[in-house]
Structure formats: structure tokens, C-alpha cells
Amino acid sequence: MFRAFRIGALAFLLGFGLPLGAHALVQWHAVDWTRNWSNADWSSTGSLPPASAASPALVRIYAARVGRWRSIFAVHSWIVFKPADADGYDRYDVVGWSGTPVRHNIRPPDARWYGNAPQLVVALEGEAAERLIPKLRAAIASYPFAEAGDYRAWPGPNSNTFIAHIVAQVPEIAAALPSTAIGKDFPVDGRWFGPAPSRTGIRFTLGGYAGLTLAWVEGIEFNLLGAVAGLDLRRPGIKLPGFGRIGI
């Protein structure tokens, strides 16, 4: 038993403790932790053209590091879409501010989050995007944690739980949220065992506090207190707590 405990402790240290410690050092030197909500940069990155200049339908999922010390661990994710020839984008986020958590167009669609540039998670255009937009609207409307007081930063339901719910309701989007999207493994339906959000495998989760995902799109993911370590099988790479995915 003692040998098993030592092996488990070593696996935890190598798989979770060391990567998180290393990423904390990286963030300590790279991020201005004195930046607060009011003085952070929330402006557009200019990565999306004006909606009036982009005629095809479009779907995007973005993720960006959250603010201050929490950037060691986590990202915030959101979804953007636009039907063909629409004159504006629709952006949906879940936030923990006062009021209802699901927000529409609180920032420019491709804006920085807390001064951090967004990472593109999914990009669809044309007919493929047009077909999905009604399903995306239905998934947003069906999110069960949309009332004031429902938001919980950890282990969920939070912004990443919201996007994981949309992906699960519209599996054709074939999205794997970043492994740093803490809250994505919170079970919206309350079940501890079921299909992975992409519907290409299975997921076991202890209320979002710990779990295991085995799926083609998500890969192999071990979740411990929201931190994820694992392997990306579809596009070979590794997933490290704090750092996220590293690979092709």
C-alpha cells in the first residue's frame, strides 16, 4: 500500500505539480498582475473583419487567459456567430458579475479578455456554419444555469461549462475546448458518466472535481481539481496543467 501511495504521489507531482509550478513562474514574469478589471484592455484584436464586409456565415469559438493570478490555471471561452449577409456578430459569454450569467455582446466579438489576446478554438464558415447557427441558438437557450446566482467559478458551472454545453448540444462543431478551460468537465446534466461533449468518446467526472475523458476529439484527459493532464490523439500533442496543449 505504501508503494502504491508513493507511486501515486510521484505521478501527481510529475503530472500536475511540476507543470503548474513551472507555469506559475512563466506567468509571474510575463503577466502584469497589477492590472485590474477597470484598467485592462478589452478592445478588439482586429482578427475579425467588420460583419458588413464578411458575407458568408461564420462561427467562432475563442478562449483567452483570465486575469491576474488565475491566468496560471485557466482561460475564459465564448462563442461568436453571424448568419450570411448579417450586419452584426452575435457573441455569447457566461460571466460571474451580478445579474444573469449569460450575456450577449458584452464585448467586441474578437476582443481581448483582461488584456489577453484570444486563442481561436473553432472556425467555421459558409454553408457548414449556416447550418449550425439555429442549433447554436437553441443550445444557448437550453443552458440550464442561466439564472442569477447559478454561476460558480470553480468547478463550475462557469463560462467554460457554458461553451462545453453548446458543444455537447451541437456535436457537429467537433470542438475540443482547451485543457485549461476549467469548468468544461462540470456535468451539466448531473451525470457522472456519459458521452464526451464531442460525442466521440466517453467521460467520467466526479462533479467536475476529478475525472477522465477518453474521446477522439478531446483525446485522453485526466482531470484533478480542474487541472488537466493528457494526450491529444487527433493532432499529436500533450496537455499539461497550466500550459495547456503542446504539440502539432
Side-chain angles (χ1 to χ4, degrees):
M1 181 177 291
F2 181 68
R3 178 180 175 82
F5 173 79
R6 287 194 303 171
I7 293 174
L10 180 60
F12 170 79
L13 178 64
L14 293 177
F16 291 88
L18 287 180
L20 283 173
H23 195 252
L25 289 175
V26 170
Q27 293 295 94
W28 178 266
H29 289 285
V31 176
D32 179 8
W33 286 0
T34 65
R35 185 172 54 200
N36 60 39
W37 190 269
S38 62
N39 64 20
D41 182 0
W42 304 92
S43 64
S44 169
T45 58
S47 58
L48 279 177
S52 59
S55 58
L58 174 151
V59 174
R60 297 282 191 270
I61 293 178
Y62 291 104
R65 288 280 171 181
V66 296
R68 309 185 77 171
W69 61 268
R70 294 176 300 167
S71 64
I72 297 170
F73 309 99
V75 298
H76 166 84
S77 58
W78 67 93
I79 189 164
V80 173
F81 52 82
K82 180 191 77 69
D85 300 318
D87 58 2
Y89 292 103
D90 287 301
R91 168 178 171 160
Y92 287 90
D93 300 64
V94 155
V95 297
W97 313 330
S98 60
T100 55
V102 179
R103 302 296 176 91
H104 181 222
N105 290 343
I106 57 171
R107 304 287 181 195
D110 57 354
R112 297 167 179 84
W113 187 260
Y114 226 111
N116 300 310
Q119 164 195 351
L120 185 60
V121 178
V122 166
L124 297 172
E125 294 186 12
E127 292 183 5
E130 192 76 52
R131 286 194 302 269
L132 294 185
I133 288 175
K135 297 181 180 181
L136 295 174
R137 294 192 190 278
I140 291 166
S142 71
Y143 183 59
F145 301 105
E147 300 298 324
D150 283 347
Y151 180 93
R152 187 169 56 173
W154 178 83
N158 59 23
S159 65
N160 300 315
T161 311
F162 173 62
I163 300 302
H165 166 75
I166 293 172
V167 170
Q169 295 299 305
V170 192
E172 305 98 303
I173 204 167
L177 291 184
S179 57
T180 46
I182 292 176
K184 70 183 181 66
D185 293 318
F186 181 85
V188 171
D189 58 8
R191 293 189 298 170
W192 287 12
F193 180 79
S198 69
R199 299 299 196 264
T200 61
I202 59 173
R203 181 180 70 183
F204 172 74
T205 176
L206 296 174
Y209 293 99
L212 171 66
T213 299
L214 301 171
W216 175 242
V217 171
E218 288 88 348
I220 302 171
E221 295 186 345
F222 297 92
N223 171 11
L224 183 61
L225 301 179
V228 169
L231 298 172
D232 187 342
L233 305 176
R234 184 173 54 153
R235 299 172 301 149
I238 61 173
K239 301 181 180 185
L240 295 178
F243 289 97
R245 182 185 176 281
I246 300 173
I248 298 174

